[in-house]
Amino acid sequence: MNENIEIIQTQIDEIWQLLKKPIFVMEDSKISVVNILISILAIILTLKIARYLGKLVNRALANRGVDAGIRHSLEKFVRYTIISVSIVFALDNLGISLNSLAAIGAVLMVGIGFGLQNVTQNFVSGIIILIERPIKVGDIVRVGAVRGRVLDIRVRSTVIQTRDEVTIIVPNSKLVSEEVINDSYSGRRIRQHVHVGVSYSSDIDKVKALLCAAASRHNKVLPEPPPRAIFEDFGDSSLNFDLRFWCADLWEMDLVASDIRSEILNDLRVAGIEIPFPQRDLHIKGSQSLSTPQN
């Protein structure tokens, strides 16, 4: 029994010495299989620890009532910082010094010049977005023809979900270099407009009252500031009004406006106020036939 244990220990020692044996030399460092395995395990463990600590920071900030966008940015910074430290440790364990990293950086710069411009541009843009926070997770944004809610901001791209439940991956460089409309930037409310035209025989004050009342009845219209109806202009066939109200639901604001239009139509019909449609008078001039005189 003891002989078997000694044989096993001898085999383990031989395997350990084999793993510790340098497989190649970089400058003054001898890199073995053990060094590589330790570096890989350190990175894997750090990824899990970084994810756990990031979520822990997010939950702690949520309990303090911190905005979701700020929580997301801080969570990302915690994760990236821990991962960066882990990578430095792994490289140091492999014997790669800061001087070697500078050389690798020079090689990467050459690679960037040959085809990694977009990757680098998106990476830098992602860092800028996380620091400046022009958009945050949960914001309602419009980028070109894309409009939806921001689900996640990654280092290379941002995930946006449209109202049709379609997920769109937008490169971060596009969010930095192009015009972005952020409906949520100034707060969680937005002012909506509903344009209405009524006949010239209508009572202006009565129309204003009906418009404001229709908006006030909706449960997603804010009472402060109250809805206002503006006599906008004299149209070709109607008196034009602009109903302005503040909506508390940015995601459903189109449905809110649709509901209010339905209420306005019903109220105007009950009040006997006509919504005219453009009318045009067509005048046809007949041609006079010339008779040929007879001899």
Side-chain angles (χ1 to χ4, degrees):
M1 184 69 179
N2 293 331
E3 293 180 356
N4 293 333
I5 294 176
E6 291 178 357
I7 292 173
I8 294 174
Q9 289 179 347
T10 302
Q11 292 176 347
I12 292 175
D13 291 337
E14 291 177 355
I15 294 173
W16 179 251
Q17 294 299 326
L18 181 62
L19 293 176
K20 291 178 61 178
K21 185 177 180 180
I23 54 178
F24 61 89
V25 178
M26 180 179 292
E27 295 183 352
D28 297 330
S29 302
K30 298 179 180 180
I31 300 176
S32 63
V33 176
V34 173
N35 298 119
I36 296 175
L37 290 177
I38 291 175
S39 298
I40 293 175
L41 288 175
I43 292 177
I44 293 175
L45 289 175
T46 305
L47 289 174
K48 294 184 177 180
I49 293 173
R51 183 177 301 174
Y52 173 76
L53 291 178
K55 293 181 179 179
L56 187 65
V57 169
N58 197 327
R59 286 197 298 267
L61 294 175
N63 294 334
R64 294 176 177 267
V66 180
D67 180 73
I70 298 177
R71 299 201 310 267
H72 180 268
S73 298
L74 291 177
E75 178 186 352
K76 291 287 187 182
F77 276 118
V78 169
R79 290 175 58 181
Y80 294 154
T81 301
I82 295 175
I83 293 172
S84 299
V85 172
S86 172
I87 292 175
V88 172
F89 169 78
L91 293 176
D92 182 71
N93 184 61
L94 293 174
I96 301 176
S97 62
L98 294 178
N99 293 332
S100 301
L101 291 178
I104 294 174
V107 174
L108 288 176
M109 292 301 294
V110 175
I112 290 171
F114 279 102
L116 298 178
Q117 299 97 330
N118 291 335
V119 175
T120 305
Q121 186 179 11
N122 289 324
F123 175 80
V124 174
S125 299
I127 299 299
I128 292 174
I129 292 173
L130 289 174
I131 294 176
E132 293 187 353
R133 298 194 308 113
I135 62 172
K136 307 180 294 297
V137 173
D139 284 356
I140 310 299
V141 300
R142 281 179 283 179
V143 186
V146 177
R147 182 177 182 180
R149 177 187 284 121
V150 177
L151 294 184
D152 190 16
I153 301 175
R154 301 170 181 172
V155 174
R156 191 191 64 83
S157 60
T158 296
V159 181
I160 298 177
Q161 185 182 52
T162 67
R163 287 182 171 85
D164 298 327
E165 298 294 332
V166 176
T167 301
I168 300 177
I169 311 298
V170 180
N172 287 332
S173 59
K174 188 173 183 179
L175 300 176
V176 173
S177 61
E178 297 185 9
E179 182 182 85
V180 178
I181 299 175
N182 189 348
D183 293 334
S184 309
Y185 189 80
S186 58
R188 306 305 303 178
R189 65 178 189 173
I190 189 170
R191 191 170 77 168
Q192 285 283 83
H193 297 259
V194 172
H195 300 279
V196 181
V198 299
S199 65
Y200 270 84
S201 61
S202 304
D203 186 333
I204 293 178
D205 294 331
K206 186 176 182 180
V207 172
K208 288 183 179 180
L210 288 174
L211 296 180
C212 294
S216 300
R217 288 196 300 268
H218 202 286
N219 59 352
K220 291 186 178 180
V221 173
L222 296 175
E224 290 294 333
R228 295 187 62 186
I230 307 299
F231 182 17
E232 195 171 31
D233 202 356
F234 295 95
D236 293 338
S237 57
S238 64
L239 300 175
N240 297 330
F241 292 83
D242 178 18
L243 173 61
R244 304 171 183 178
F245 58 91
W246 289 89
C247 181
D249 191 341
L250 300 180
W251 189 246
E252 301 291 344
M253 58 185 181
D254 293 340
L255 295 178
V256 173
S258 176
D259 293 341
I260 292 176
R261 290 188 184 97
S262 299
E263 291 290 326
I264 291 173
L265 181 60
N266 292 332
D267 291 350
L268 292 179
R269 285 176 175 173
V270 171
I273 298 176
E274 179 186 0
I275 299 179
F277 54 89
Q279 300 183 19
R280 296 290 183 270
D281 293 332
L282 182 62
H283 298 278
I284 301 177
K285 295 183 65 175
S287 59
Q288 296 180 354
S289 59
L290 298 178
S291 57
T292 304
Q294 297 180 355
N295 294 329

